[in-house]
Amino acid sequence: MKLSSLLMTCFAFPAIAMAGITTSGSVFTESGATYDGSDPWVISAEALNVGSAASFGSLEVNAGSSVTVSSTISVVSPSSGLSSSLVVDGIGSKLTAGFDLFLDAGGTVQLRNGATVDSILFVSRSLSGRAAQTLIEGAGTVFDAGRFYFYGDGTSEISVTNGATLSSVEVQILNNSSNFSFTVGGGSGTSQWLATGVNTFGGAGAGLLEVIGGGFVRFGTGILTLGQAPSGSGTIRVDGTDGPAEVDFQVSPRIGASGTGRLVVTNGGKVTTTNGFISIGDSSRGGTGTLSIGGGEKVSSLEGKPALLVSGAASLIEVLANGVINADSIRVTDGARVIVGGSSAAAALNLSPGGFSFPNNGELFVTGGSRVEVRQGGTITATSFSVNDASSQVSLDGGTLKGGGYLGGLPVQVMAGGGTIQAANGAEFTLLATTGPGMLTKTGAGSMAFAGQTNHAGTRVLEGSLNLAAGSRTTGTVEILAGAKLTGTGTLDGLLTLQQGAVIAPGNSPGILQTGSSTWMSGGRYEWEINNTLGNNGINWDLVQINGSLDLVGLSPSDPFVIALQSLFESSGNAGLAANFDSQSNYRFTILTTTSGITGFDPSDFRLDLTGFANADLGDAYWALQDWNNGLDLVYNFAPVPEPGSAIFIAVTALAALTQRRRR
């Protein structure tokens, strides 16, 4: 049974009805006058009371009628028994309060079916166990509430449904223990709340906004705080399960100022921003905040590229299944966490410069013992990753990092699910240290560098390059695939496999690259550089030192392994003439050593490429590759007759048919 029908059958005073205005129970003006039958009913210079502390009252305005009160309209419920109610129903029906509309001690205000209500201030006082309800329903229904004030020790409930509109200029609490909830959406049409001014959700009590299917909320100019006081909590939940649900921030929300704040966007919900900054938690004030995007089968998103700041050990940004955050940048400080992914569905955190001017646009900056976790299905894309603090950490468990930057701090955890590093073209990802049982996969045209002690299980390089920096040490296996490259002067203790089409290029300019036992496959390439023919191994020309054996069984003459010579200017390191090369002298350059020998060496499996060697030689000179002293030597000989033994001779042009001499 509708509340209005219940009141009509149980009233304590006779009902008075004229035109579209109906009263029952205790309805009187401040001077004690009752409804006089006029329409419109205009009450000047005094207040109107619907109900009292002793008895309930009911006022209905419908059928295009109107009530105008120059002062306050109070809807007061007794402490027990029936609650008082105010109903404004139908197109053209209107209620105007010259000052405040006061819903006191519970009760109901219901606006529906195209009605209009205006007030300067709406005050809702609830009692423990007795909610105060404001129901705004139906297309064309408009409640211009002015300021919302809540107090009492119960819960005030406001709902905007079936295409209705609520507007306000402030939401505040008059005592910190007050609880309130807004629901926007549900039913047919687009229901909306247009809010400006200072809006506070959560003093010492709880404030909740739920935006569901068909709901739209805009916070315009002003301030929005979720969790203002230390014991207060404020939550905004945007749920698109039953249809489009959206919140538009034209302010900079504070999620967890001194209390607890939560912004949850799930199953198709959407949040857009235009002002450019969202803070989540505040470690300096003890506030904790959560920003959660995703969950459910529909795509949920945070749009508008705001700059995000998450602060405090209990504060969190999480991107769940089918969640997307498109932000300008994120600063993760003071023990906060960022978690992306966790299921087979995609979850994406995308950082790129937006319209808001903020230092280090496109950056994920992690400091103060904070943590970033990228789990299954999760991807973080950033112009720059910056993890410099010694106590901060990144963890990969099936997730992907895209872009470039520096991952320092505690060792990057590569968990059982593994992880992917996708370095953008021209960018480099530097990992100071790693640990964990998982495999790391490198993709993208850019490079990945290991700069310290890396102890994860292994690395597969599908694209771009892996650089083992000077002083670095890698214990896991390394596999280089077609078109990818291994460079650097570090040490690889694990096994190395160069798959078909892979490239090895020791040094950064000439240098020494140390590896564990290695396997080379057909179609691979050794890019060997030299800047001074009278110099030393690993200083003036490249050297691969293998602590173990080299397996060449997988090579084939039909797809030979290429040794590509590149001469460099010694002074600049640029391509050019190597110093001290005499075309009438003989040279032997050790380009690879092993401690346990070479298996499967066959000269016909190799081809030399001299297109990068700029120094001239004599017409009868030749270059040869020799299996020599458990290693490989590159030999230049100007003599007309080649040395016997296991040698291969250079082609006339790059990768052409073999000849015995190079002719110019």
Side-chain angles (χ1 to χ4, degrees), residues 20 57 64 180 256 278 303 364 372 389 399 495 498 504 525 528 557 585:
F180 63 85
I278 299 176
E303 305 288 348
L364 176 62
V372 174
D389 174 69
L495 302 177
L498 299 181
I504 186 169
R525 185 179 181 90
W528 182 78
S585 298

Side-chain angles (χ1 to χ4, degrees), residues 467-519:
N467 178 38
L468 304 183
S472 68
R473 197 169 201 100
T474 299
T475 60
T477 61
V478 171
E479 181 183 14
I480 312 296
L481 275 68
K485 181 185 293 189
L486 176 64
T487 69
T489 58
T491 298
L492 168 62
D493 293 328
L495 302 177
L496 170 64
T497 301
L498 299 181
Q499 296 289 6
Q500 186 176 20
V503 178
I504 186 169
N508 298 296
S509 291
I512 299 173
L513 178 62
Q514 302 179 62
T515 78
S517 291
S518 302
T519 300

Side-chain angles (χ1 to χ4, degrees), residues 61 126 427 470 569 603:
V61 182
S126 59
F569 289 119

Side-chain angles (χ1 to χ4, degrees), residues 219-532:
F219 291 96
T221 57
I223 298 172
L224 174 62
T225 303
L226 309 183
Q228 175 67 38
S231 60
S233 65
T235 299
I236 296 178
R237 181 178 175 85
V238 188
D239 188 341
T241 300
D242 297 323
E246 181 177 350
V247 173
D248 177 26
F249 291 132
Q250 297 182 1
V251 297
S252 295
R254 296 186 298 168
I255 304 172
S258 295
T260 300
R262 289 175 56 83
L263 173 59
V264 179
V265 186
T266 187
N267 205 22
K270 181 180 180 180
V271 170
T272 59
T273 65
T274 55
N275 197 46
F277 188 83
I278 299 176
S279 62
I280 303 106
D282 187 338
S283 59
S284 67
R285 300 176 58 185
T288 61
T290 297
L291 172 63
S292 178
I293 309 292
E297 297 180 355
K298 300 179 182 179
V299 174
S300 306
S301 64
L302 170 62
E303 305 288 348
K305 293 189 176 181
L308 306 178
L309 170 62
V310 56
S311 169
S315 295
L316 169 68
I317 295 175
E318 62 178 3
V319 188
L320 305 176
N322 294 312
V324 178
I325 291 180
N326 291 315
D328 173 275
S329 55
I330 299 181
R331 295 178 67 87
V332 190
T333 68
D334 300 321
R337 292 180 300 153
V338 174
I339 299 175
V340 181
S343 73
S344 58
L349 172 56
N350 303 317
L351 305 180
S352 61
F356 182 67
S357 179
F358 192 76
N360 303 318
N361 299 118
E363 181 183 49
L364 176 62
F365 181 86
V366 186
T367 188
S370 300
R371 183 175 174 85
V372 174
E373 300 179 20
V374 192
R375 300 173 180 173
Q376 180 187 10
T379 300
I380 300 179
T381 303
T383 303
S384 174
F385 290 77
S386 180
V387 186
N388 296 299
D389 174 69
S391 59
S392 296
Q393 191 168 42
V394 172
S395 172
L396 295 170
D397 194 2
T400 299
L401 301 180
K402 293 183 179 182
Y406 183 76
L407 304 182
L410 296 172
V412 174
Q413 290 181 318
V414 185
M415 308 304 287
T420 298
I421 300 289
Q422 181 173 323
N425 188 26
E428 180 175 81
F429 259 110
T430 299
L431 282 66
L432 178 61
T434 67
T435 186
M439 293 290 297
L440 194 60
T441 300
K442 161 66 180 65
T443 63
S447 66
M448 177 172 69
F450 293 159
Q453 183 74 41
T454 52
N455 294 325
H456 61 283
T459 303
R460 299 182 76 232
V461 184
L462 276 61
E463 300 173 288
S465 63
L466 170 62
N467 178 38
L468 304 183
S472 68
R473 197 169 201 100
T474 299
T475 60
T477 61
V478 171
E479 181 183 14
I480 312 296
L481 275 68
K485 181 185 293 189
L486 176 64
T487 69
T489 58
T491 298
L492 168 62
D493 293 328
L495 302 177
L496 170 64
T497 301
L498 299 181
Q499 296 289 6
Q500 186 176 20
V503 178
I504 186 169
N508 298 296
S509 291
I512 299 173
L513 178 62
Q514 302 179 62
T515 78
S517 291
S518 302
T519 300
W520 292 5
M521 304 301 291
S522 288
R525 185 179 181 90
Y526 180 170
E527 295 181 349
W528 182 78
E529 296 177 326
I530 182 170
N531 63 26
N532 189 333

Side-chain angles (χ1 to χ4, degrees), residues 104-116:
D104 189 16
T108 303
V109 171
Q110 187 173 21
L111 322 175
R112 62 194 183 198
N113 299 324
T116 301

